[in-house]
Amino acid sequence: MRRLVRGLVGAVATLVSLTGLPYAIYLLLAKAWNPQGSPAQKQPAEPTVSIVLPTYNEERIVENKLRDIVSLDYPMEKVEVVIVDSSDDDTREIIRSFFADRQTPELTLLEEDERRGLAPALNDAYAAASNEMVVKTDCDSKVAADALREAAANLADPDVGAVTGRNVDVLGGSDVEEGYRDVQATIQTLESHLDSTLIFHGPFSAFENREIVPIDPDSIADDTELALKIRRNGKRVVFDPAIRYKEASHSAFNKRRSQKDRRAMGLIRLLLRNRDMLGRYGLYGGVVLPFNWWFMLISPWLMAVGIGLATILGLVVAGPFGLVVPASVGAFTLLGSRDKLGSLQAVYAVFDTQVSLLFAAVKLWRGEGSAVWDVDEELRDLYE
């Protein structure tokens, strides 16, 4: 019995160490180096801009989004708005009405007769975008007034082909998402200073038009995939916390699954399809991608096995009282999903992300992963 207990203790300790080691190294590096802001050699620039906006049944919120766009601190005569719409509600009529009496910005409206998924729609929109800088944004997000200028300043660096920004305020007040975004911002700043970051964000991502290439039609990580392909072709893709946006998100565990798990599925599939980049492309393939492989593909399973072994150890040592291990995990999840963990919310946010990645891996193995997304009406309420 003692040998079994010692073996279980050693196994749990090893799993915990293996799971946490890459994060500890990353955080220690970030603490010691303390990189700040964007690594790009930013300089004032005012290129022409194509703002790409995919829409599907956005009649409740599309006018607010368009008002935000025309209110950006940028000369609207240098801006075109490229909207690709597959709606079966009044979204198109609202868009046409909004632009009817406006000289600027120019509107290009691509109308889809059937809904094909986001990636094919974006490929059409990017092909139609005629200006020097292309900005992709989501209808249910709010972008800071100076976002275009900050993005243009990054892309003025000839080594940079794409830039994304930071969610500075989670609409709906989700402490879970706030905690995760803070951790993610630290990681993405470090990655950008090392070489390039992996994850690009739908609410605001900007690309040099000449660097844009088609994304896979079944992609469910479209923004990140395009950035990865731009890095593959030689340009850096960076994160700049000075580019600010707001996005709605849930805290409740079950409600986060559809939003987070779908994103996780897209990222896992993207990493697997581009595994040939590991060890190549400078520190991007040497450090950034290996860390993300660990975070997204390995760490979730180590966490699950670790919890399972800790439960077995508890049952062996304390009998039925060993169930305190899964009960503690359940209580941690319950309190975290209700934003009741205080300073531990950031830890729970990472745990919640690991759960999403675990669920996503299982769903991909089962053949799930549609490129067509479902509208979350509750998030629409939060945006409004």
Side-chain angles (χ1 to χ4, degrees):
M1 178 66 73
R2 290 181 179 178
R3 182 176 297 178
L4 174 62
V5 171
R6 285 198 299 269
L8 287 171
V9 170
V12 171
T14 300
L15 285 172
V16 170
S17 300
L18 285 174
T19 304
L21 183 60
Y23 310 123
I25 293 172
Y26 242 48
L27 291 175
L28 285 172
L29 181 57
K31 186 71 173 178
W33 186 4
N34 194 29
Q36 299 291 320
S38 169
Q41 299 299 313
K42 295 170 67 172
Q43 52 186 304
E46 208 171 79
T48 56
V49 179
S50 297
I51 298 177
V52 169
L53 180 67
T55 57
Y56 172 70
N57 288 358
E58 316 282 2
E59 62 181 5
R60 295 171 55 191
I61 62 174
V62 68
E63 187 169 355
N64 283 342
K65 180 63 178 184
L66 295 175
R67 291 190 185 282
D68 285 346
I69 288 174
V70 300
S71 299
L72 294 172
D73 177 22
Y74 208 82
M76 285 296 118
E77 64 272 14
K78 290 190 171 186
V79 176
E80 68 168 346
V81 179
V82 181
I83 299 177
V84 54
D85 179 73
S86 56
S87 301
D88 54 22
D89 64 0
D90 291 332
T91 299
R92 294 178 194 175
E93 288 68 28
I94 294 170
I95 293 169
R96 292 192 190 98
S97 176
F98 184 87
F99 283 96
D101 299 320
R102 294 180 181 274
Q103 297 294 323
T104 58
E106 180 183 347
L107 170 67
T108 298
L109 178 58
L110 307 178
E111 302 180 31
E112 293 190 322
D113 294 329
E114 61 177 321
R115 197 173 180 214
R116 299 173 297 156
L118 183 56
L122 285 174
N123 280 334
D124 289 348
Y126 290 145
S130 59
N131 288 339
E132 298 162 290
M133 182 172 81
V134 178
V135 170
K136 152 65 170 44
T137 186
D138 292 334
C139 208
D140 57 353
S141 63
K142 295 180 179 292
V143 177
D146 62 351
L148 293 182
R149 294 195 179 279
E150 293 291 346
N154 278 274
L155 295 184
D157 185 334
D159 292 332
V160 175
V163 62
T164 192
R166 178 180 182 179
N167 188 357
V168 293
D169 186 12
V170 178
L171 301 176
S174 168
D175 285 351
V176 180
E177 192 65 17
E178 288 278 7
Y180 176 65
R181 293 302 185 186
D182 290 343
V183 172
Q184 188 179 53
T186 300
I187 291 173
Q188 291 201 268
T189 300
L190 175 61
E191 290 177 340
S192 296
H193 282 263
L194 286 170
D195 184 300
S196 296
T197 192
L198 173 67
I199 296 176
F200 265 51
H201 304 291
F204 191 97
S205 292
F207 311 93
E208 281 191 343
N209 196 335
R210 61 188 175 185
E211 297 296 331
I212 291 177
V213 294
I215 54 179
D216 294 339
D218 64 345
S219 177
I220 46 178
D222 45 272
D223 306 297
T224 297
E225 180 180 329
L226 179 53
L228 181 144
K229 288 187 172 183
I230 290 173
R231 180 63 189 90
R232 182 189 281 274
N233 289 336
K235 289 290 189 80
R236 293 178 68 183
V237 293
V238 301
F239 168 80
D240 185 359
I243 299 174
R244 300 163 296 141
Y245 64 83
K246 300 179 183 180
E247 182 184 26
S249 185
H250 296 295
S251 275
F253 185 83
N254 61 326
K255 292 180 180 179
R256 286 177 65 78
R257 300 285 60 87
S258 60
Q259 184 184 32
K260 294 285 288 187
D261 294 2
R262 182 179 182 278
R263 291 176 180 174
M265 291 168 70
L267 292 170
I268 290 173
R269 191 161 69 182
L270 183 65
L271 287 174
L272 291 172
R273 287 180 175 179
N274 291 274
R275 56 189 177 274
D276 64 301
M277 295 183 70
L278 286 169
R280 303 168 61 193
Y281 305 96
L283 292 178
Y284 186 69
V287 177
V288 174
L289 290 183
F291 172 80
N292 281 280
W293 266 75
W294 188 272
F295 181 76
M296 296 182 194
L297 282 91
I298 300 173
S299 176
W301 293 98
L302 292 179
M303 179 193 72
V305 173
I307 292 172
L309 288 179
T311 301
I312 294 172
L313 175 62
L315 291 172
V316 169
V317 173
F321 292 105
L323 293 174
V324 70
V325 175
S328 298
V329 173
F332 180 69
T333 301
L334 178 64
L335 292 173
S337 66
R338 295 182 178 180
D339 298 330
K340 301 290 187 182
L341 287 175
S343 60
L344 291 178
Q345 278 297 144
V347 177
Y348 173 74
V350 175
F351 170 79
D352 177 81
T353 299
Q354 294 285 281
V355 170
S356 276
L357 291 162
L358 187 64
F359 287 4
V362 173
K363 290 178 180 178
L364 285 173
W365 178 75
R366 289 163 51 183
E368 300 179 33
S370 173
V372 179
W373 78 100
D374 295 323
V375 174
D376 189 324
E377 295 296 343
E378 288 190 53
L379 291 183
R380 294 292 190 271
D381 292 339
L382 296 176
Y383 175 84
E384 285 189 295

